Amino acid sequence: MRYISELHEGETISITYLCKNKQMLKTKAGKSYCSLALQDKTGILDAKIWEMSNAIENFEAMDFIHVDGQLTCFQGALQLNVRRIRRAQEGEYDPVDYIPTSKRDIKEMFGELLTYVNSIKNPYLSKLAKSFFVEDNEFQKAFMYHSAAKSVHHSFMGGLVEHTLGVTKLSDYLAMNYPFLNRDILVTAAMFHDIGKTVELSNFPENDYTDDGQLLGHIYIGTEMVGERIRSIPGFPHKLSAQLRHCILAHHGELEYGSPKKPATAEALALSFADNTDAKMQTVREVLENADEKQEWLGYNRFFESNIRRSEK
Amino acid sequence: MRYISELHEGETISITYLCKNKQMLKTKAGKSYCSLALQDKTGILDAKIWEMSNAIENFEAMDFIHVDGQLTCFQGALQLNVRRIRRAQEGEYDPVDYIPTSKRDIKEMFGELLTYVNSIKNPYLSKLAKSFFVEDNEFQKAFMYHSAAKSVHHSFMGGLVEHTLGVTKLSDYLAMNYPFLNRDILVTAAMFHDIGKTVELSNFPENDYTDDGQLLGHIYIGTEMVGERIRSIPGFPHKLSAQLRHCILAHHGELEYGSPKKPATAEALALSFADNTDAKMQTVREVLENADEKQEWLGYNRFFESNIRRSEK
Amino acid sequence: MRYISELHEGETISITYLCKNKQMLKTKAGKSYCSLALQDKTGILDAKIWEMSNAIENFEAMDFIHVDGQLTCFQGALQLNVRRIRRAQEGEYDPVDYIPTSKRDIKEMFGELLTYVNSIKNPYLSKLAKSFFVEDNEFQKAFMYHSAAKSVHHSFMGGLVEHTLGVTKLSDYLAMNYPFLNRDILVTAAMFHDIGKTVELSNFPENDYTDDGQLLGHIYIGTEMVGERIRSIPGFPHKLSAQLRHCILAHHGELEYGSPKKPATAEALALSFADNTDAKMQTVREVLENADEKQEWLGYNRFFESNIRRSEK
Amino acid sequence: MRYISELHEGETISITYLCKNKQMLKTKAGKSYCSLALQDKTGILDAKIWEMSNAIENFEAMDFIHVDGQLTCFQGALQLNVRRIRRAQEGEYDPVDYIPTSKRDIKEMFGELLTYVNSIKNPYLSKLAKSFFVEDNEFQKAFMYHSAAKSVHHSFMGGLVEHTLGVTKLSDYLAMNYPFLNRDILVTAAMFHDIGKTVELSNFPENDYTDDGQLLGHIYIGTEMVGERIRSIPGFPHKLSAQLRHCILAHHGELEYGSPKKPATAEALALSFADNTDAKMQTVREVLENADEKQEWLGYNRFFESNIRRSEK
Amino acid sequence: MRYISELHEGETISITYLCKNKQMLKTKAGKSYCSLALQDKTGILDAKIWEMSNAIENFEAMDFIHVDGQLTCFQGALQLNVRRIRRAQEGEYDPVDYIPTSKRDIKEMFGELLTYVNSIKNPYLSKLAKSFFVEDNEFQKAFMYHSAAKSVHHSFMGGLVEHTLGVTKLSDYLAMNYPFLNRDILVTAAMFHDIGKTVELSNFPENDYTDDGQLLGHIYIGTEMVGERIRSIPGFPHKLSAQLRHCILAHHGELEYGSPKKPATAEALALSFADNTDAKMQTVREVLENADEKQEWLGYNRFFESNIRRSEK
Amino acid sequence: MRYISELHEGETISITYLCKNKQMLKTKAGKSYCSLALQDKTGILDAKIWEMSNAIENFEAMDFIHVDGQLTCFQGALQLNVRRIRRAQEGEYDPVDYIPTSKRDIKEMFGELLTYVNSIKNPYLSKLAKSFFVEDNEFQKAFMYHSAAKSVHHSFMGGLVEHTLGVTKLSDYLAMNYPFLNRDILVTAAMFHDIGKTVELSNFPENDYTDDGQLLGHIYIGTEMVGERIRSIPGFPHKLSAQLRHCILAHHGELEYGSPKKPATAEALALSFADNTDAKMQTVREVLENADEKQEWLGYNRFFESNIRRSEK
């Protein structure tokens, strides 16, 4: 397959892309046309259907479509003038080519996460963790193939498991080095802290905020998911439940970052540091990887409120 | 009964009070003694048991106790030196004397609130509202005899229903005057916005933050209470549920005031204004009522960040 | 008349518009031309006079002009190449077509406001209110046909009376429901709170910040207008005057919103809530009305610091 | 006269003081007594009248009274037990002894300020300045014998003229060194910037916020005083008036410091720097003068948000 | 030895303490006396010398003194009325008893830190680290026996090495798990990040801010110490020097926390997270250890802006 | 020479410019070309080399080059299509034509600054000041021909000496009018406060942030420069050194403006006011000078957070 990042002006192409967006618009002169956003894992291509004809079959946004057309340059950017479109058949394309994906093996990361699930000694927390990560296939699948964000850090398939693993490992390190921490609460909270994102963001290839996500947010959603499951585990101690859910509610660390409570326990504090550290380390990694290797100063970054510099090797 | 606000130094008393707090302490010289906080609806009295004896029967914090002793003055405040204590019998005292209470009739206010419950036309919202306010006796009782705060505004029995009624009425006014608002969503959200306080604060006479209250907060708790109940109503539309819960989650208006989401719908905005207006009107009312009627300037108030002035009549 | 919102590329037109702006510019090649902004109540049209000739008669910005020309498309927007211009005669056009106007009847709203003027019992406040709203024809006219803003909410003719009425009604509601409020002070302050806008913003069709408006602001200007009028009413009680003016000065609620004093009286607080509520309700109404009816999420709004969502009907 | 700062425990005194405050209170035991705050320019003395008798003549707060009594020590502070009180006769005391006063000669400072009044070339600004500082005797007197604050910097008699002179001189320096500044506007605005304090604070010996001061503030009051006077000067240019009043309105530099407008002209900016610099220099001077000369670090100062250090000589 | 925490009212004692503070004061009645603050590692005792006599030998603040006297209770706190004082001889006391000290073995922690020094591969960074931690005896001693703070976290002897080790270990963890980090820069910066505290705070037993510390701060001081040493190492790469010093300058993460630069490199970011995490983990540890083991809610903590709760074990 | 501000579309030119930037890019069609930024003291010109040929000689960014080509207009801006390029010879051009420069004579300003150097009485401060401004030729040259900023105020050659002189003069004024200030410390600190900018910004014509500048900042760099020089002056009093360096460290006045310490001495406070006042006066001067003389309102300025208005003359 030829990736969007490799296309040139003037080419005539016949390729399958994901149709991320489809809109009927009118020219100034009042003529209708159709504007599409085509996507693969390397980028997005603007396409126009100026004339509706038999060559344009039925399709919807989020379909994989096979397009024929010619590439021109409009206002400094590539534009595809579409001549033919048909829905692609399963088998004609590999969805993986259309979705940005973690560089690490997703199943391997999930496997590593399971070793943490299995390390929890408190029987109630252990049961809770297994009920999601081991026994709940639907959750497992959603969790493994989700991103941890729409854009910013970890916004690729597998991003959620990669970030969760990073936070869990760092939480485990903290539990070992600051022994007054309750490791079981901290590590369990780390594994669950972002599960609300499986609802806040839609699945790939869409990976966009859902209606529930925008109205309720992953912090509330994830805490409620855990609360509901706990109610199905007989004898789960009430205080343990409240403390675990507190860690999830408070993991953004500050009210102005969307946590309705500030961390009040040592574990909630530790989780908020682990989450922030992994998120920021990944953010700076993406800044460094996306810039030219020879560049020293990479430009102002609004997350870090600083111009970012690549260090000496 | 003689109220704490009426006691004088030098008196010998024999009265029933609520024991709000009980602590074993040591003097500098190492001698043990017991320190009590006695309460009625007019205030709090510091009491000490210097000598344990047969005259001091068993009792715990939150018991109503009948105390004998003498009032002295220590560092400018009244102190009771206790000679005898026994648990008071039900019937000996009227709990109402020990609890600050709304000046308005609680049942009347609740009745007025029910007229709003009955005015909701959307069948699902109506069913939801009735399931709490009409059919759930336990909730009804907790809701009616709760405060809306530990201190600040509406921190008295009936405060929760009084505040909820004030917000609901103002929401109704807004729905009438700004007709693009969805009245059913707004009025329902108004009735439910603070129900999490039935869990966040313990019942009177204690009226203090609970463990759950401090760890999770009434915003999360109340939203989850509504979410759980909705799951028991067949066919409740998902979007309606999300929009209603959004109003509750967002009713503090700003992330830094503990809402994990800013208001995103017209109803959520309207509710946040109604809540804030009723809360602040009650706060200023309490400032005015607690000050000498002849005083014009009542001193700096940290909620309003201003010296408050009584206006001309 | 054909409105700007209805024009198409390629048309040749001959229509009267308001010339909101007129500038002499030079092309890169050093040739002079004239750039105009033409306006009607539906929008703004960019026009160019490339060649000065006899066909272009004298005119100034803010004149109504009759233009002939051809519509082309430049960088994605309509542009009028002007061939003839002459000043339009009174009678040829209806100014109302060139000015965005309230959907409600202005005189009716003003009439409703007068019922509040007539409801004031305090003789001094009543006299003051009537001296503006009943006896001062010039003020009356300026007030009725003003906007309440250059852009944002109520930025149309009649916007000032519409907003003032909204705030006054809500103030009346609050006075009724929170009886410790002094209704006369609150309702009078509500009617006067934004009268400084008659000076801060120029009349339609210009509706832009005046020099005085930018240097002094409507809060200072309005308070001074009231202060000066009060000095002409014999025996007006000094304290009443100070409290009324305080409400006007403090109605933005916070120093950082331009009030030089925070609200210190119950009425000043109530007014600041009423003002904020009406302003925000209108803002969200305009967001909802300006968006496609079928769209659920309407995009990020910087006033509300949130993506705004249309609710279920 | 013996100053309060020189009194010792155990002494019997018979001295005239200013009665700044007078309150009837009750002991815990229900007995009435009268509590006084006596003041001279060196401090404040707590006094009690335990027994009302013929020896206690009629007097009110703000009277100069001659007291007889004995000094005791209560909770680590001096307390006067009063035996006799009578109102002091004019002539028996020198009010100057009771009022903290500038170290500089007030008339000399006012004379220096007049040289700036006389240096203004613009005829309208000159007329305006003279109408206050030369022709308005009542204003002159109020201005000369006022403080510039209740507490903080320049809170002594003559403080207003001392601060105004400091700001005017610095403004003159800036006008000379940054010649694009309009010296007449800047220097006039400097002289007028705090005249509202003659209304915001009551005269000595009271020197406290007035009702108007708290409700309206010296920024609004002073701007309005200038505006009213300008209306009595025929032909005063409107733009000049607006720009001058803008400087006064904006002289606190930031909305959150109580200016309803940010400085928009070079002169308004310059004035805000001059005002801030003189105020802070005086504040640090008072910190240094009030501390032991040998101390290097003088403790945390909340205005400067720093521990303050005395420098090497 | 008997510790201050064990003393009782009424005892007569004869013990050696550290005299942390000595002041000559006057009673209200004008009589001179001497007020002392005596310290050991468990707390501070207020002592008074009411009568100077031969029994009171010469001594200064920061001397170890042997005091005889009687313990009384004044305003609820223990006070020692001193009868005799003499300077204690070396050998009479063990300074360790007078200084709060880390629970971990200081030399062992320093040894562990040296393993990190030895793990640095870059020859220049290695040379720099060894020049301080291995070759500079005076620095080594100051570093080992210093606190990391006057109060808050790690304010005990050995606190600086304990905190530095915690940050270095966590930095090493981050370097391992986020391999794009330059481990040598990060680990070196971690070891040096707080060395300025050896100058900012005086040695024990004083452990207070020095004049330089208050005027310049440990961030500037430490960065300059490293800069000066680097100038003595021939060939030290300039960019490496700037990047290392940047990490130290930026380690507080935010300008408002006293770093004159925000972190601009991945290592500077990582160091700021490691520093913050170790500091906060120690702070919460101290909160938990200083509270009664049975208490769940430990009270509001201003660093965490939350009431802190002890978790389930 | 013809300045960039005077060029027109359509011209063929043959002129020497400074090549500020040089980049190899590719067209959409994959063809390589070279993009240049040409500069003189009046502005910047975009230039393209579409065809590499013998006519294009070797050159680098920051070379002065003689270019032949034709001016076209691309997307509304001038663009030079280059035909020939050769490096210009020294003598062919006057570097002064390529660098924005102070309107005041640089040597004269430096001479005026030297009179302040000579006025310092403290022998150590005098020696320090002379060691830089009189004896250190390299520093002198760097200082005189530097800007005080990359953009904003004083971003032209001579800007550093002009700003330093303005701050020093104002500091001298303050020392004279507020005699508790130590003039020697204040005036010396004023002269040194921005010397770190000689390292933070590269020399003209580049005048951009250096690597050290971005990583360490002029505040740290300048303080360290002074600290190092002081170590070479025998007997320089330590406290004087700390207080002087404190003034430099703290001259931005607030932590969030990049000072790692808030001003703690009267001189540090005075310096921060003098620096801020001169910087803002120059900023507003540049705003006024860069706008059309007839314009009253000059548009929103983000430094002043206000629309700026030109005052009456």
Side-chain angles (χ1 to χ4, degrees), chain F residues 45-231:
Chain F
L45 175 66
D46 182 27
K48 306 290 179 206
I49 311 175
W50 298 111
E51 298 291 339
M52 290 306 169
S53 73
N54 294 347
I56 309 299
E57 296 181 10
N58 272 345
F59 69 97
E60 298 301 329
M62 287 302 139
D63 284 346
F64 288 89
I65 55 174
H66 192 93
V67 292
D68 292 77
Q70 188 158 14
L71 287 156
T72 60
C73 189
F74 180 69
Q75 292 181 338
L78 274 191
Q79 193 177 79
L80 180 68
N81 291 320
V82 175
R83 276 194 302 241
R84 306 176 69 91
I85 283 186
R86 64 169 171 81
R87 272 196 224 168
Q89 310 294 319
E90 279 203 28
E92 267 191 291
Y93 56 90
D94 184 348
V96 160
D97 289 335
Y98 299 88
I99 293 168
T101 305
S102 173
K103 290 176 182 168
R104 296 194 48 194
D105 184 87
I106 292 177
K107 288 188 180 162
E108 191 184 301
M109 291 190 288
F110 190 76
E112 201 174 338
L113 192 64
L114 286 183
T115 65
Y116 289 95
V117 170
N118 291 322
S119 75
I120 297 168
K121 291 182 181 147
N122 180 292
Y124 298 102
L125 294 174
S126 170
K127 194 159 191 175
L128 175 68
K130 285 177 180 160
S131 92
F132 276 100
F133 291 98
V134 178
E135 296 153 17
D136 186 336
N137 288 335
E138 198 178 340
F139 170 78
Q140 224 181 81
K141 202 175 142 193
F143 183 82
M144 282 169 77
Y145 298 104
H146 234 77
S147 76
K150 181 185 172 183
S151 45
V152 294
H153 70 89
H154 293 103
S155 61
F156 43 75
M157 184 176 278
L160 182 55
V161 65
E162 185 166 345
H163 173 55
T164 301
L165 181 59
V167 174
T168 304
K169 282 177 78 170
L170 183 42
S171 294
D172 185 47
Y173 171 89
L174 295 175
M176 211 148 51
N177 281 272
Y178 302 91
F180 59 89
L181 290 165
N182 181 324
R183 184 187 178 280
D184 282 352
I185 291 179
L186 175 53
V187 168
T188 306
M191 293 185 299
F192 283 123
H193 84 285
D194 264 355
I195 64 168
K197 289 195 172 165
T198 58
V199 175
E200 190 186 41
L201 293 161
S202 56
N203 290 332
F204 280 100
E206 198 181 46
N207 190 42
D208 203 352
Y209 287 105
T210 61
D211 196 44
D212 273 32
Q214 292 204 77
L215 288 169
L216 304 172
H218 73 276
I219 288 187
Y220 166 78
I221 293 169
T223 311
E224 203 196 38
M225 282 167 73
V226 168
E228 211 184 341
R229 187 66 56 93
I230 282 174
R231 283 193 287 274

Side-chain angles (χ1 to χ4, degrees), chain C residues 143-171:
Chain C
F143 182 82
M144 283 170 76
Y145 298 105
H146 233 78
S147 76
K150 181 186 172 182
S151 45
V152 293
H153 70 90
H154 292 102
S155 60
F156 43 76
M157 186 177 278
L160 182 54
V161 64
E162 185 166 345
H163 173 56
T164 301
L165 181 59
V167 175
T168 303
K169 283 177 78 171
L170 183 41
S171 294

